[in-house]
Amino acid sequence: LVPLTFVAAVVAAPYFLTHGLLAIGLALERGFAVVCHQRPDRSFWIFGAEVAVCSRCLGIYLGVAVGLLFRTPRRIALRLLIAAAALNLFDAMTELAGLHGNWLAIRFAFGLLLGGAAALLISSAAAAPNAREVRL
């Protein structure tokens, strides 16, 4: 539930800012500024304002929430995490090199993959001690 709470807070921030709850909206934005650059051109806009994190961070939070619902062997989870990190790095480097522009949807999708893969690795690590105990 914690990752879903982050997603809800990210989406709620622009609602609060545009519906008279300025202090709460600004507090949420400042809180997320610790972990995200919050560039307006890299963020989705809803309720007439930008969400509290960039599209990649939003994807990561949502990916973690979904990824925690599944289990996979640790080796597969680690490979998925490496592939997802490589895709995110490749996207960042190709944009920096000027090979493509600001693709919010791609950035969001790669964030989903990264968050989901990280959550799978966490859930596989949490399940590993129980699996070893059963085998003994």
Side-chain angles (χ1 to χ4, degrees):
L1 291 178
V2 172
L4 284 178
T5 303
F6 282 130
V7 171
V10 164
V11 174
Y15 177 83
F16 291 144
L17 290 172
T18 58
H19 287 83
L21 300 165
L22 198 58
I24 297 171
L26 289 174
L28 285 172
E29 280 192 346
R30 291 305 308 148
F32 284 108
V34 174
V35 295
C36 181
H37 56 73
Q38 297 177 323
R39 286 180 43 187
D41 61 322
R42 294 186 180 224
S43 300
F44 292 118
W45 285 65
I46 56 173
F47 306 117
E50 67 184 86
V51 296
V53 295
C54 70
S55 59
R56 190 181 320 269
C57 287
L58 180 60
I60 290 170
Y61 293 146
L62 194 56
V64 168
V66 172
L68 288 175
L69 299 175
F70 299 96
R71 300 280 188 267
T72 189
R74 184 173 169 82
R75 183 175 30 204
I76 293 172
L78 183 58
R79 288 179 181 168
L80 286 172
L81 182 60
I82 291 168
L87 278 173
N88 278 274
L89 182 60
F90 179 74
D91 174 55
M93 297 306 291
T94 54
E95 184 180 0
L96 186 64
L99 298 177
H100 65 81
N102 184 20
W103 295 346
L104 289 178
I106 297 297
R107 192 176 283 118
F108 176 74
F110 286 169
L112 275 171
L113 289 173
L114 184 60
L120 283 173
L121 186 62
I122 291 168
S123 66
S124 71
N130 295 336
R132 286 189 199 121
E133 291 174 8
V134 172
R135 289 181 188 161
L136 293 175

